Amino acid sequence: MNMKMDFVNGSTQKCFWFMFLPVMAAMFLNMAYNVVDSLWIGNLLGENAYAALTSSTPIILILNSIAMGATNGVAILVSQAIGAKDEGAVERVISTSLVVAVVFSVSVTLLLELSLPWLLRVLNTPDETWEMAKDYLSIYLLGYVTVYLYCYFTAVLRSFGNAVFQMAAMLVCTVLNAVLDPIFIKSIGFRGAAIATLLSQSICLLFMLVYIARKKVFRFRAVKFEKRMVGEIIAKAVPSVFQQSIPAVSTGFLTSLVSWTGITAIAAYGITGKLEIILFYPAMALNMVLTNIIGQCAGAKRSDREKDYLKYSMKIGIVLLTVLSAIVVGFSKPLSGLFLKNGEIAEIVAGYFMIVSVGYVLNTVTNCFLGTLNGLGKPIKSMLLMVFYYMIVRMPFAWFFNYLGLGLNGIWGAVLISHIAASAAAAAAGKREMFRQISVL
């Protein structure tokens, strides 16, 4: 088993960029992958179809967040075992967690296929888009096992310091989706976009399995499955799942509030979500990278290296998000026009980004501390911070401002307030935990 990158003893800058660049590239390829559907649907099928896609988005986000969160929990255990140089533990974690991943993803697929109509009603999906959203999601859900396993294998590969293949796999998936989308949409309609997504995801997973088998990056041995380890995996995965899923739940809640304003507002909110990916993915990449890097450092009991990586990551993140935020805020109207050419929609999108703006830099600070807490083996603290971020601040404030009659701008203001509160809380919790770790050592 090849331990490819030594984060504990290597150069801070070299190790950081070795992980961050390919993860960042993979995230932006994932962004392109998601935006492709939106561009084709908006330009070929119009506003109602785009609104249907927006109504489907909260469920898709929750599912993807569950996959990313659960597999990130596995990555914590793998990274710490690698940092401790315990190859036996690495094999046990991988063998046990892979079985759990397959069983769990199949169970979630069956459950959601059965409960899909109820979920769409809960999300206040308009009658005009309800049937289209149901058709799209019923097909999309068939590929959830492939999505989950893709997240699983990329998380394990990152634990070994191999982030490059995630980028390569995502490139294959994005190109396939870009090619298949217009073909299936023109021949089948709205459901064609879901079929194209399903096919591209399946081929991407196959590509990844072939790579892992040929390179022998790690071994899966059924005899290494340990029933007692399932509880430990769940203990790390559940907080990470909640941590990743809470933003998606918040998006669903805000979508339901926006839905009362009409189809145009739903479509505009869907476009803000696509453009926000440009600003959220770098923060998410920092979170994921720090989870793996800090995990190795924690396994080796090197708190000095943990601090080095956190400081450097925050510096890079703040500079990067300042530049990206300025671009998106400044060009939000023409960017909106790429999806739907509608002046009213463009005004709503521009108003959203003008209000939230600085919040994206603060979100990067939040994610750096969340990734550090995850790597230190404290995903429950990260989860509680996310509960505070979204469920205690954002969602209640959005509802209250909407109740006061402040409309869409009130909802957007709640988003900014939540970014401010979360960054302060995450910084305080992260610094306290790192100080506690130093005191124990």
Side-chain angles (χ1 to χ4, degrees):
M1 197 175 297
N2 185 17
M3 309 290 185
K4 293 196 172 184
M5 176 58 72
D6 184 357
F7 299 126
V8 178
N9 299 305
S11 162
T12 300
Q13 295 184 17
K14 181 181 177 182
C15 291
F16 170 84
W17 289 109
F18 180 86
M19 285 293 286
F20 181 68
L21 286 177
V23 171
M24 181 75 168
M27 297 293 270
F28 272 105
L29 285 169
N30 189 45
M31 176 195 73
Y33 174 84
N34 286 302
V35 167
V36 161
D37 272 353
S38 304
L39 289 172
W40 284 118
I41 288 171
N43 285 283
L44 293 178
L45 301 177
E47 186 175 315
N48 274 16
Y50 198 91
L53 180 64
T54 301
S55 297
S56 306
T57 297
I59 295 175
I60 294 171
L61 287 176
I62 290 171
L63 287 172
N64 290 344
S65 298
I66 289 172
M68 290 174 65
T71 55
N72 214 32
V74 172
I76 294 170
L77 293 173
V78 176
S79 295
Q80 290 181 345
I82 291 172
K85 302 191 183 301
D86 187 344
E87 292 196 19
V90 172
E91 284 194 0
R92 290 193 297 274
V93 172
I94 292 174
S95 299
T96 305
S97 60
L98 181 55
V99 173
V100 173
V102 172
V103 172
F104 178 74
S105 57
V106 170
S107 301
V108 168
T109 299
L110 294 174
L111 177 63
L112 287 181
E113 286 284 8
L114 294 173
S115 60
L116 188 54
W118 175 79
L119 286 171
L120 288 171
R121 292 300 181 197
V122 168
L123 289 170
N124 193 32
T125 305
D127 292 337
E128 302 97 308
T129 61
W130 194 89
E131 197 63 42
M132 284 192 291
K134 179 177 176 293
D135 288 346
Y136 184 89
L137 284 169
S138 63
I139 296 169
Y140 177 89
L141 287 171
L142 295 176
Y144 184 60
V145 174
T146 63
V147 171
Y148 194 98
L149 291 179
Y150 166 81
C151 290
Y152 174 85
F153 288 123
T154 55
V156 172
L157 286 171
R158 284 196 309 273
S159 297
F160 284 96
N162 183 342
V164 175
F165 187 73
Q166 180 180 0
M167 176 183 67
M170 200 65 240
L171 176 62
V172 170
C173 200
T174 302
V175 171
L176 282 170
N177 199 40
V179 171
L180 295 175
D181 251 341
I183 296 172
F184 281 93
I185 290 173
K186 287 179 179 179
S187 59
I188 302 174
F190 189 60
R191 288 179 295 176
I195 294 172
T197 298
L198 175 62
L199 287 173
S200 59
Q201 288 170 343
S202 300
I203 294 170
C204 181
L205 178 62
L206 180 61
F207 176 56
M208 179 168 284
L209 290 173
V210 170
Y211 171 84
I212 290 170
R214 286 186 174 179
K215 295 294 184 179
K216 298 180 180 178
V217 182
F218 57 81
R219 289 177 293 176
F220 169 77
R221 299 172 63 191
V223 293
K224 290 289 185 177
F225 177 87
E226 289 191 6
K227 188 183 295 185
R228 65 178 181 81
M229 189 171 279
V230 173
E232 187 178 358
I233 291 169
I234 293 173
K236 296 295 184 187
V238 169
S240 293
V241 166
F242 274 99
Q243 180 185 331
Q244 294 286 343
S245 301
I246 289 170
V249 172
S250 170
T251 298
F253 180 78
L254 265 60
T255 301
S256 70
L257 291 180
V258 172
S259 295
W260 293 106
T261 311
I263 295 292
T264 299
I266 297 174
Y269 186 52
I271 291 173
T272 65
K274 296 303 179 185
L275 294 177
E276 271 190 326
I277 293 174
I278 300 171
L279 305 171
F280 280 150
Y281 274 10
M284 291 173 64
L286 287 168
N287 187 327
M288 296 166 74
V289 166
L290 282 171
T291 295
N292 295 119
I293 292 177
I294 300 292
Q296 276 201 26
C297 294
K301 302 188 185 304
R302 288 290 303 275
S303 58
D304 57 320
R305 301 294 289 135
E306 296 163 9
K307 183 184 286 188
D308 290 342
Y309 282 114
L310 175 60
K311 284 182 177 179
Y312 189 72
S313 298
M314 285 185 60
K315 181 172 70 174
I316 297 299
I318 289 171
V319 172
L320 180 60
L321 263 296
T322 299
V323 173
L324 290 175
S325 296
I327 293 171
V328 173
V329 172
F331 295 93
S332 55
K333 286 186 179 181
L335 288 171
S336 172
L338 296 175
F339 298 90
L340 288 169
K341 299 186 186 309
N342 182 307
E344 187 179 355
I345 287 176
E347 287 294 335
I348 295 172
V349 172
Y352 177 90
F353 285 109
M354 187 61 67
I355 290 171
V356 178
S357 58
V358 71
Y360 300 111
V361 177
L362 297 175
N363 177 61
T364 302
V365 173
T366 301
N367 270 276
C368 283
F369 280 107
L370 292 178
T372 298
L373 286 169
N374 286 334
L376 292 172
K378 302 295 179 181
I380 291 179
K381 290 189 176 182
S382 291
M383 179 194 74
L384 293 175
L385 284 166
M386 295 298 280
V387 169
F388 171 75
Y389 191 170
Y390 290 94
M391 295 187 166
I392 295 178
V393 180
R394 180 176 296 189
M395 292 167 66
F397 271 82
W399 177 88
F400 183 63
F401 290 160
N402 189 58
Y403 176 77
L404 290 178
L406 297 178
L408 293 176
N409 286 342
I411 297 173
W412 310 157
V415 174
L416 175 60
I417 291 170
S418 68
H419 283 313
I420 295 169
S423 61
K431 288 178 180 178
R432 189 183 307 115
E433 183 60 35
M434 293 187 79
F435 179 76
R436 193 191 70 79
Q437 296 267 341
I438 293 171
S439 299
V440 170
L441 294 175

